[in-house]
Amino acid sequence: DTAVSQTPKYLVTQMGNDKSIKCEQNLGHDTMYWYKQDSKKFLKIMFSYNNKELIINETVPNRFSPKSPDKAHLNLHINSLELGDSAVYFCASSQDSSGANVLTFGAGSRLTVL
Amino acid sequence: GQNIDQPTEMTATEGAIVQINCTYQTSGFNGLFWYQQHAGEAPTFLSYNVLDGLEEKGRFSSFLSRSKGYSYLLLKELQMKDSASYLCAVVDSNYQLIWGAGTKLIIKP
């Protein structure tokens, strides 16, 4: 059973389009995250939700809108895609919102904006 | 500001030992993680140190010195499958996770 699953794995789209990435975890964790990893492999946190409530919202353009319908799901919607949005987006979960917990990552969604 | 430094890339030989260093300057400290990330895959947990000293897990060991703001990951009996990026991450005083840029380890036969 996949612990953290995200779809789609690959996404190729044109500038200006809107796209969504979905994430689900079956670990019973309270906290879920979206991370962005650019071409230099640096992992940068974007958002964190704890029991469906937003707790971390880093400096991210408001074209990015997360949504957590329940604590097992965290989706990411991106409006008006730009070239600089090309990256791998990782969903992750942890037992609770303390940074001292182990993160379990999904396999990543590689977004390419043309 | 908060800063984590790791070498960008290292090369080692199959069967050898390699040490990947991580130095940090953060607002407080509540632990340090090492994650492994193979190319095109997700990061996976390797180790967590919160007290000074060496923790060993099979071929991998992780060391922490809080007074020096320093950690290292030691990989013994290197195998080709150990070729990956190794990410150091520190938990600060607010229990936020601060990530290093990662060290790409290349293993040669």
Side-chain angles (χ1 to χ4, degrees):
Chain A
D1 277 346
T2 304
V4 180
S5 58
Q6 50 183 113
T7 55
K9 190 166 173 64
Y10 299 98
L11 200 49
V12 181
T13 189
Q14 300 286 332
M15 261 177 28
N17 284 350
D18 304 338
K19 290 293 176 188
S20 292
I21 309 172
K22 296 186 175 182
C23 180
E24 175 181 2
Q25 56 98 1
N26 63 5
L27 296 167
H29 287 168
D30 285 345
T31 308
M32 295 184 73
Y33 310 80
W34 278 111
Y35 277 89
K36 179 180 180 181
Q37 189 172 46
D38 60 25
S39 57
K40 294 185 179 178
K41 306 303 179 189
F42 190 65
L43 262 178
K44 185 175 178 181
I45 189 163
M46 301 172 70
F47 302 103
S48 172
Y49 272 73
N50 188 61
N51 274 314
K52 305 191 297 176
E53 299 297 321
L54 180 66
I55 55 170
I56 293 177
N57 183 358
E58 292 297 314
T59 309
V60 175
N62 57 16
R63 299 181 294 104
F64 290 78
S65 51
K67 195 164 283 187
S68 182
D70 55 62
K71 77 172 194 176
H73 295 83
L74 180 61
N75 304 322
L76 183 66
H77 187 75
I78 315 170
N79 288 325
S80 304
L81 279 157
E82 300 178 357
L83 293 176
D85 298 333
S86 294
V88 180
Y89 292 85
F90 285 101
C91 177
S93 72
S94 64
Q95 189 166 358
D96 59 43
S97 59
S98 167
N101 285 309
V102 174
L103 291 170
T104 302
F105 286 86
S109 297
R110 181 176 293 275
L111 171 65
T112 303
V113 182
L114 304 173
Chain B
Q2 313 218 74
N3 195 49
I4 295 182
D5 284 317
Q6 316 177 223
T8 304
E9 189 173 295
M10 298 181 72
T11 302
T13 304
E14 192 176 16
I17 299 173
V18 72
Q19 177 175 310
I20 303 174
N21 296 326
C22 171
T23 57
Y24 61 88
Q25 292 173 310
T26 55
S27 57
F29 179 85
N30 282 298
L32 185 145
F33 286 94
W34 284 97
Y35 282 80
Q36 180 189 59
Q37 185 177 23
H38 285 102
E41 297 183 12
T44 55
F45 168 75
L46 284 179
S47 67
Y48 174 66
N49 293 64
V50 66
L51 299 176
D52 290 350
L54 186 69
E55 299 224 355
E56 298 184 67
K57 255 191 212 180
R59 294 188 299 113
F60 291 13
S61 303
S62 56
F63 172 82
L64 174 67
S65 168
R66 287 171 296 171
S67 62
K68 294 182 180 176
Y70 168 69
S71 171
Y72 66 74
L73 183 68
L74 191 71
L75 291 74
K76 301 177 185 175
E77 300 168 19
L78 285 169
Q79 301 175 10
M80 297 303 291
K81 67 178 182 179
D82 297 329
S83 291
S85 287
Y86 292 86
L87 309 174
C88 173
V90 172
V91 186
D92 71 8
S93 57
N94 293 321
Y95 285 90
Q96 300 301 308
L97 198 55
I98 314 299
W99 291 86
T103 298
K104 182 178 180 180
L105 177 64
I106 300 168
I107 309 297
K108 294 188 174 177

